[in-house]
């Protein structure tokens, strides 16, 4: 599970692209099965070109976006939504470590308090 490119959170971020992909795919299949405009070479070619080109480009964009989102989560400090600019907010990985019972790692310059 750790080797997955797109985890649950990344997939939730990509839903805004996946839903239009399903809609476009539906119309491609619908126009292949039920062709309401008849079959002519030029109009049918333009019709399917105007459906297939955005489908392919959006699929590529979705994959690249997913890789960028997953990479950003691994490379940068991640905060809870709306907490990045709040003074004293803890990064998400510190909160996960506390939930698992591990002590968060102190970075250079951090002081450890003896308030136990």
């Amino acid at each position: 599970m750790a080797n997955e490119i797109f985890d649950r959170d990344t997939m939730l971020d990509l839903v805004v692209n996946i839903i239009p992909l399903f809609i476009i795919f539906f119309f491609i299949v619908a126009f292949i099965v039920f062709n309401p405009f008849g079959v002519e070479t030029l109009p049918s070619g333009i019709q399917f070109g105007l459906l297939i080109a955005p489908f392919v480009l959006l699929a590529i964009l979705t994959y690249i976006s997913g890789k960028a989102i997953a990479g950003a989560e691994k490379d940068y400090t991640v905060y809870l939504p709306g907490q990045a600019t709040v003074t004293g907010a803890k990064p998400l990985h510190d909160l996960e470590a506390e939930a698992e019972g591990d002590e968060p790692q102190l970075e250079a310059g951090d002081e450890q308090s003896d308030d136990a």
Side-chain angles (χ1 to χ4, degrees), residues 14-15 51 54 60 71 85 87 99 113:
L14 296 177
V15 166
L51 287 172
I60 293 169
T85 58
T87 305
S113 63

Side-chain angles (χ1 to χ4, degrees), residues 12 21 43 45-46 51 58-59 61 72 75 81-82 91 97 113-115:
L12 288 174
L21 281 172
I46 292 172
L51 287 172
L58 185 59
L61 175 70
D75 294 339
S113 63
D114 295 328
D115 294 336

